[in-house]
Amino acid sequence: PRDTLGLLLKHADRVRAQIGITTLDEHVASTFEPNAARSLVRLEQMAALIAGGVATQARLDPILPGISDSPGGLRDLFFTLAQTGVGHAAAGTLFLRPSIVSSLKRNIRDENLLRKTLGFFHDAGRMAIRAGDSTATVLPRVARAEIFSRVRVAAEQHSIRMSVCACKNPDI
């Protein structure tokens, strides 16, 4: 909201912001985040914060395996982020807990997209993540490393620094 943006800009030297954006594909975004702001709105918010002096990062989380991690999609996303003025992005891949799986099954009406998403976790294992004593079903380390490699290549092509979310990837 504008009043929140105004407050953040008023205290730009004391604020750091991360705005989530995982894809420019509005069908995918609206399917997985039906009540969230559209990608264009998020980009406009990032640009306004950056222009106002707020240290602002993009948060690519969750990256959806086989859906939002293609080299072309990532290249387009990082090109757009660079045009917005973003210099750093943090990334994390989708992980599953029973409540997340239930929510996906309840809310994703595109059966093919749902099947594709959950199919990547067929051979997935559980891992402790840095959230108390929490565990989650995560993609195998090799699969996550491959995704982060694609993300890093796209980020570097547009001079954006990229970091991997350590809380959900303590093994990377």
Side-chain angles (χ1 to χ4, degrees):
R2 291 194 188 281
D3 56 341
T4 302
L5 179 62
L7 180 64
L8 295 173
L9 294 175
K10 183 177 178 181
H11 300 284
D13 60 328
R14 303 169 90 185
V15 176
R16 294 182 56 139
Q18 288 189 358
I19 294 183
I21 185 166
T22 59
T23 182
L24 297 177
D25 182 323
E26 288 302 332
H27 172 69
V28 171
S30 65
T31 298
F32 285 90
E33 300 177 305
N35 299 314
R38 297 186 67 193
S39 299
L40 181 60
V41 171
R42 298 175 199 210
L43 292 163
E44 289 170 349
Q45 290 171 338
M46 282 187 245
L49 288 165
I50 292 166
V54 174
T56 304
Q57 296 180 4
R59 179 93 181 160
L60 282 66
D61 194 359
I63 296 172
L64 304 166
I67 297 169
S68 64
D69 65 339
S70 72
L74 290 168
R75 184 181 55 248
D76 293 346
L77 178 58
F78 277 100
F79 171 81
T80 304
L81 290 171
Q83 297 301 307
T84 303
V86 170
H88 185 254
T93 56
L94 179 66
F95 67 92
L96 299 178
R97 290 189 171 125
S99 61
I100 293 172
V101 173
S102 294
S103 176
L104 292 172
K105 287 180 177 179
R106 243 187 354 265
N107 296 304
I108 298 181
R109 306 221 187 299
D110 183 331
E111 288 292 324
N112 290 330
L113 206 50
L114 177 63
R115 222 177 358 268
K116 184 175 185 178
T117 301
L118 295 178
F120 280 95
F121 291 86
H122 178 69
D123 293 327
R126 296 209 49 93
M127 180 176 70
I129 60 174
R130 294 182 187 161
D133 293 328
S134 186
T135 64
T137 301
V138 298
L139 295 171
R141 182 187 182 287
V142 171
R144 286 180 286 123
E146 288 173 4
I147 291 170
F148 293 135
S149 177
R150 286 192 294 276
V151 173
R152 187 166 278 112
V153 165
E156 289 173 355
Q157 289 173 342
H158 299 289
S159 302
I160 295 176
R161 288 175 309 145
M162 199 282 286
S163 59
V164 173
C165 175
C167 61
K168 294 182 289 187
N169 298 283
D171 58 340
I172 293 183

